[in-house]
Amino acid sequence: MDIRKKIRDVYEHKQKQIQAGILLAVYVCFFLWGMCSYQDYGISWDEKVQREHGFVHLKYVYEQIHGAGAVPEGFPDDIENLETYSARYYGIGIKIPLILIEYLHGFQMSARQVYEMNHLYTFLLFFCASIFVYRIAKKLKYGFWYSLLAVLLFISCPRILADAFYNVKDSVFLSLFVMMLYDSICVMEKFRLRSAARLAVSAAFCLNTRIVGAFPLGITCIFYICRQRDGIWKRMAQVTGTGAVSALIYMLMTPASWGNFLDYIGHAVRVFSNYQHIGYVALGQRIYPDTNLPWYYTVFCIFATVPLLYSVGSVTGIFAALKELTGKKSPGQPDLIQTMLLVQFLSVLLYDACMRPIKYNMWRHFYFLFIYLALFTAKGIRYAWETGRIRRFAVGAGVCGSMAVTCIWIVMNHPYEYTYYNMFLPTDDTDAMLYDYWHVSGQDLLQLISSDPDRNVYVGDCSGLYFGESGWENYHYNYEKDGAEYKTDYSEPGTSLQPLYRTLDTIQVGDKTIGSLLQRIHYHDCLQKCFISQDGAVKGDQGQDGMKWEVTSDLESRCFHTVIPESYRVRQIDFLTTEKML
């Protein structure tokens, strides 16, 4: 018996070593992918906005220490005061390290250095989150292989992977939410001061980034308090104490709350629970106001933008979790945690379907749900594998094939992974949706004119910041939208009215155009340039009086006719007008 036990122990030890090696190899490969890729993405327009949020708060803190009007050397001149700043309710806690690095460099870092640092920092947060995904799966008793599968699902979804570099709000919140979720599970298992302290810190940073994280956290508190009758008051005291410490940390990292913390929290909840955004959202071939989206909008967008494996696997996993829940009278500890996760996930979806909060650009405001999607997909695959030997080959082939196809797609379409749509979704349902919402492809579009000495670019193209050590100094500002030599466009060709520009080049993923470089049409070298006056008369420019124009009109249109003299060599005739003049 001793010999058998020793052999078994040696085998188990070797098996653990092999598993540890495989897990380490996966994380090393993913880390190297990020280190090689973070410079490939352009600047999203929100990165510049979030950086400004940090500067406003830094200015306020600096004035509190050194007196009113004091600013660090090299600090930008056009930064608003926190008291009058309209976006003061946006938390900047997780961005403090980035702000301090710029401060220590005297704000002399080039734009390229700043934003590449931003991309690297965002990826490292996501990388850390992937480690906590494995630990959460182990808490759920998934075993090594299914825990590893949950990690692979978490890091190989094309859109989530791309956003892990430049999406400084939604991806960062997803990463922080995963860490908070792990700490809350540790507290659920057994309350220890160390686990409670970690939860207080992670919850403070998570809620500072997005206040909506309080909803799943509140469900965790209810589960913890009500887990059993004995000791309920003690658990309430533990939750209250942890919450008080977390609130203190939250306040310390949020200068806007220093005057009146409770008033600040109340305003933040009201602002973000009913955020005012005047705009329209595309869903298939229909356009909806963002205040009146269909109840299924978020679920549709999730299924449309993740591989089919996630959709089928997560539904199967939720079914398996419900079956386990209803099949046992007294759930054990792993089942209690699983039930908590299931309630959190379904409660958020139910809230979204019933309350229909304002959303725009797909489901990015609900990216934090992706951790549930990855976990339940892994559970669904395990359930399908373990419920029948005959189906195992089909399940294994389907999972490996799906993940292989997805990874190949990522490599082939890098760095445009954010354009991914489920191949089983009808093409007509995606034509009206933006492919490059963040305008990240602008970096590659502007590289097409990097050799042009007169790079007069519309200032709205943030990716111009990426070029050269001086950033925008290598380009020429132009705040007039229709006055720049070049500008970019991210709508489908033919859907955007650009009468003064022609398409110079495009970036395509498959048969979809995600971004276009436009060049201004010049009128100064035309033989005849005409315009329509307010009274409707056609008037020529450049002194060409030999061309006489006649105007005819009906109820639907106006036509302009002329006879061109034989002595004229007409290369181009251009009209510049407005809709009301027609």
Side-chain angles (χ1 to χ4, degrees):
M1 292 296 294
D2 291 338
I3 296 178
R4 290 181 180 178
K5 185 177 183 303
K6 288 182 180 180
I7 293 175
R8 185 170 60 253
D9 291 343
V10 170
Y11 173 77
E12 290 178 354
H13 179 69
K14 288 291 184 181
Q15 189 177 39
K16 289 181 179 179
Q17 285 184 325
I18 293 173
Q19 292 176 352
I22 293 173
L23 184 64
L24 179 63
V26 169
Y27 280 120
V28 168
C29 291
F30 181 50
F31 180 80
L32 293 177
W33 167 271
M35 292 297 99
C36 296
S37 302
Y38 77 92
Q39 296 175 315
D40 297 343
Y41 299 89
I43 301 172
S44 69
W45 49 263
D46 201 36
E47 289 184 79
K48 191 176 181 181
V49 174
Q50 297 298 325
R51 185 187 182 205
E52 183 179 355
H53 296 342
F55 280 172
V56 170
H57 285 80
L58 175 61
K59 180 181 178 181
Y60 176 81
V61 174
Y62 199 85
E63 287 182 341
Q64 297 301 308
I65 298 174
H66 297 90
V71 293
E73 185 177 352
F75 195 71
D77 299 327
D78 56 346
I79 301 302
E80 293 186 46
N81 294 320
L82 181 62
E83 295 83 354
T84 58
Y85 191 51
S86 60
R88 61 185 177 276
Y89 295 108
Y90 284 90
I92 51 91
I94 197 62
K95 301 177 185 67
I96 291 176
L98 299 175
I99 300 170
L100 290 178
I101 291 175
E102 287 202 60
Y103 171 75
L104 294 175
H105 283 81
F107 302 99
Q108 298 302 309
M109 297 174 66
S110 69
R112 185 184 183 95
Q113 291 173 331
V114 168
Y115 289 105
E116 284 185 350
M117 174 182 67
N118 204 358
H119 289 185
L120 177 60
Y121 182 67
T122 305
F123 168 74
L124 290 177
L125 286 173
F126 186 76
F127 176 78
C128 291
S130 69
I131 297 175
F132 283 92
V133 171
Y134 179 80
R135 302 180 76 175
I136 291 174
K138 294 290 285 185
K139 293 286 186 184
L140 292 168
K141 309 299 182 185
Y142 278 12
F144 171 76
W145 292 108
Y146 290 104
S147 298
L148 178 63
L149 177 61
V151 174
L152 293 175
L153 290 167
F154 185 77
I155 65 177
S156 63
C157 183
R159 283 180 176 259
I160 300 296
L161 178 61
D163 277 32
F165 293 93
Y166 57 80
N167 191 332
V168 294
K169 197 71 175 177
D170 309 300
S171 179
V172 167
F173 179 64
L174 168 63
S175 300
L176 295 175
F177 184 82
V178 170
M179 299 176 195
M180 182 186 74
L181 190 63
Y182 172 76
D183 291 331
S184 67
I185 291 174
C186 290
V187 171
M188 279 282 293
E189 286 185 325
K190 185 176 182 180
F191 187 89
R192 298 183 180 90
L193 288 179
R194 183 175 59 182
S195 301
R198 288 204 317 264
L199 178 58
V201 174
S202 60
F205 278 97
C206 183
L207 272 59
N208 180 264
T209 304
R210 278 245 166 88
I211 198 70
V212 70
F215 186 36
L217 183 61
I219 294 176
T220 301
C221 294
I222 294 173
F223 264 78
Y224 178 68
I225 293 172
C226 301
R227 60 191 302 175
Q228 59 189 34
R229 291 184 179 180
D230 297 338
I232 188 169
W233 293 108
K234 179 181 179 180
R235 290 193 296 276
M236 288 184 65
Q238 291 170 341
V239 169
T240 303
T242 305
V245 174
S246 185
L248 178 62
I249 298 172
Y250 184 107
M251 183 177 65
L252 291 175
M253 71 174 72
T254 312
S257 69
W258 290 355
N260 189 325
F261 179 72
L262 294 178
D263 183 66
Y264 171 85
I265 293 296
H267 275 84
V269 171
R270 287 193 295 272
V271 167
F272 294 112
S273 61
N274 188 26
Y275 191 81
Q276 297 300 313
H277 178 265
I278 302 174
Y280 296 87
V281 176
L283 183 63
Q285 293 300 304
R286 292 193 61 183
I287 305 296
Y288 296 88
D290 54 15
T291 56
N292 190 31
L293 292 172
W295 64 269
Y296 55 85
Y297 176 80
T298 298
V299 175
F300 177 88
C301 291
I302 291 174
F303 285 167
T305 56
V306 299
L308 186 64
L309 176 65
Y310 294 77
S311 304
V312 176
S314 61
V315 171
T316 306
I318 291 172
F319 168 78
L322 290 172
K323 184 178 179 181
E324 291 176 5
L325 179 63
T326 57
K328 294 182 180 180
K329 295 182 179 180
S330 55
Q333 190 68 23
D335 293 331
L336 181 63
I337 296 173
Q338 177 179 272
T339 303
M340 180 189 72
L341 298 181
L342 182 63
V343 171
Q344 288 176 346
F345 180 59
L346 296 180
S347 296
V348 173
L349 291 181
L350 182 63
Y351 161 79
D352 176 66
C354 295
M355 303 304 295
R356 287 189 276 183
I358 289 179
K359 297 177 288 293
Y360 38 95
N361 184 234
M362 311 295 283
W363 60 294
R364 69 179 183 86
H365 294 96
F366 288 85
Y367 270 1
F368 67 96
L369 295 178
F370 184 68
I371 175 59
Y372 301 103
L373 208 66
L375 291 172
F376 283 118
T377 300
K379 182 176 183 61
I381 293 171
R382 184 179 70 170
Y383 176 79
W385 178 269
E386 293 178 350
T387 52
R389 295 180 177 275
I390 298 177
R391 291 192 293 269
R392 285 186 177 183
F393 176 79
V395 172
V399 172
C400 294
S402 175
M403 297 191 72
V405 169
T406 301
C407 291
I408 292 172
W409 191 94
I410 289 173
V411 173
M412 292 181 61
N413 295 284
H414 178 77
Y416 310 119
E417 299 96 330
Y418 48 83
T419 63
Y420 181 87
Y421 279 97
N422 193 311
M423 68 176 65
F424 291 94
L425 186 74
T427 304
D428 291 342
D429 287 341
T430 63
D431 284 344
M433 298 179 184
L434 285 175
Y435 285 88
D436 190 0
Y437 174 81
W438 293 114
H439 299 181
V440 179
S441 61
Q443 172 186 342
D444 295 329
L445 290 169
L446 294 182
Q447 280 182 334
L448 300 172
I449 57 170
S450 59
S451 60
D452 187 342
D454 182 26
R455 290 171 287 187
N456 186 293
V457 181
Y458 173 52
V459 75
D461 297 316
C462 291
S463 284
L465 292 165
Y466 231 61
F467 292 95
E469 290 302 313
S470 301
W472 260 113
E473 294 179 8
N474 287 337
Y475 281 73
H476 304 288
Y477 282 103
N478 199 316
Y479 288 94
E480 184 181 352
K481 194 168 186 179
D482 290 330
E485 176 70 15
Y486 300 99
K487 66 179 179 178
T488 54
D489 184 64
Y490 302 94
S491 55
E492 280 288 315
T495 62
S496 177
L497 184 60
Q498 302 282 358
L500 302 181
Y501 288 83
R502 63 171 174 266
T503 301
L504 186 65
D505 211 332
T506 61
I507 292 178
Q508 290 187 305
V509 175
D511 60 344
K512 301 296 182 184
T513 298
I514 65 172
S516 303
L517 178 66
L518 308 180
Q519 184 176 24
R520 185 176 174 83
I521 298 173
H522 293 282
Y523 293 90
H524 61 271
D525 60 348
C526 297
L527 174 66
Q528 178 74 26
K529 183 167 65 176
C530 303
F531 64 95
I532 306 174
S533 63
Q534 292 288 355
D535 58 5
V538 180
K539 298 185 177 181
D541 196 6
Q542 301 178 356
Q544 302 291 346
D545 296 327
M547 298 172 64
K548 303 299 182 182
W549 293 88
E550 295 181 2
V551 181
T552 60
S553 62
D554 53 32
L555 294 177
E556 297 182 354
S557 62
R558 301 185 72 180
C559 298
F560 304 91
H561 307 272
T562 187
V563 176
I564 303 176
E566 293 183 1
S567 60
Y568 284 10
R569 288 186 175 180
V570 178
R571 183 174 65 85
Q572 181 175 341
I573 297 177
D574 293 294
F575 278 90
L576 182 60
T577 182
T578 64
E579 185 177 356
K580 68 170 61 176
M581 292 181 184
L582 292 174

